[in-house]
Amino acid sequence: PNLPDLTLLLQGKKVLISAGPTREALDPVRYITNRSSGKMGYALAKAAVEAGAQVTLVSGPVALAPVSQVEVIFVESAEQMYAEVINRAERYDIYIGAAAIADYTPVNTQATKIKKHTEALVINLKKTRDVLAGVAQLAKRPFTVGFAAETHDLEQYAQDKLYKKNLDMIAANWVGKDQGGFDSEQNELHVFWRTGQKIIAMADKNQIAKQLIQLIVERMNEKNTT
Ligand code: CTP
Ligand code: CA
């Protein structure tokens, strides 16, 4: 693709990005997580710095090198992710929810290691709070961009999330075997907003990130002048 020159595009702007998976503790030694590597969120942080923004990354546990010039706040659980993002979001111009936040968390976290006794074990889970929808409900909301990871009916689900969570934009990607996205170097994004859509073709996540940042700035400028 023709890679955009991002210089100065976000000069003077503050960008908040969530990245990586979360860990929901079952006991002191075990947790529930997912296959997110954090690469997309970190690539977006890098691209936003390149565009001149002041960038904060709220990151789940990842095995990635820190991005220079980015303030990083490490969290583990969905609940911590919610608190760190919501408490900051109103001071930012843009929020990009690239984290794979757990939808369910154990009802009880055992204080001591769960011992194996019975043949079967049932773990009760409860829904977590939606960080992205929470940001979009804030009085002084930033330009709010979500991600959607889908294995089927991508456009339908992405459009649903755009409207239900009241987002400015959503970037959907196929996940699962051989699809890019989760735990992959590459990604392809199907981006939707209220009045249009665009496909950012399969490429390295750093290249995809630059194109998404450029698209966000375009849409944000459009929104502010209409
Ligand atoms: N998200 C969030 N808080 C949660 C769960 C998801 O902020 N507790 C955000 C993700 O960061 C992403 C968007 O919601 O930007 C979509 O995540 P996704 O898992 O695709 O959708 P869900 O709304 O969780 O619905 P489902 O998993 O059923 O597809
Ligand atoms: Ca989910």
Side-chain angles (χ1 to χ4, degrees), residues 130-173:
D130 196 292
V131 180
L132 185 61
V135 169
Q137 279 170 20
L138 293 170
K140 244 184 115 261
R141 62 176 265 171
F143 187 88
T144 308
V145 182
F147 269 78
E150 309 294 350
T151 57
H152 60 286
D153 300 315
L154 177 139
E155 170 153 12
Q156 175 74 58
Y157 283 124
Q159 295 275 15
D160 278 0
K161 289 171 189 174
L162 178 72
Y163 286 94
K164 279 203 186 114
K165 302 194 192 191
N166 192 28
L167 308 176
D168 292 298
M169 183 183 272
I170 190 157
N173 57 145

Side-chain angles (χ1 to χ4, degrees), residues 105-108 122-126:
T105 194
V107 171
N108 295 304
V122 174
I123 296 166
N124 287 306
L125 304 173
K126 61 178 185 217

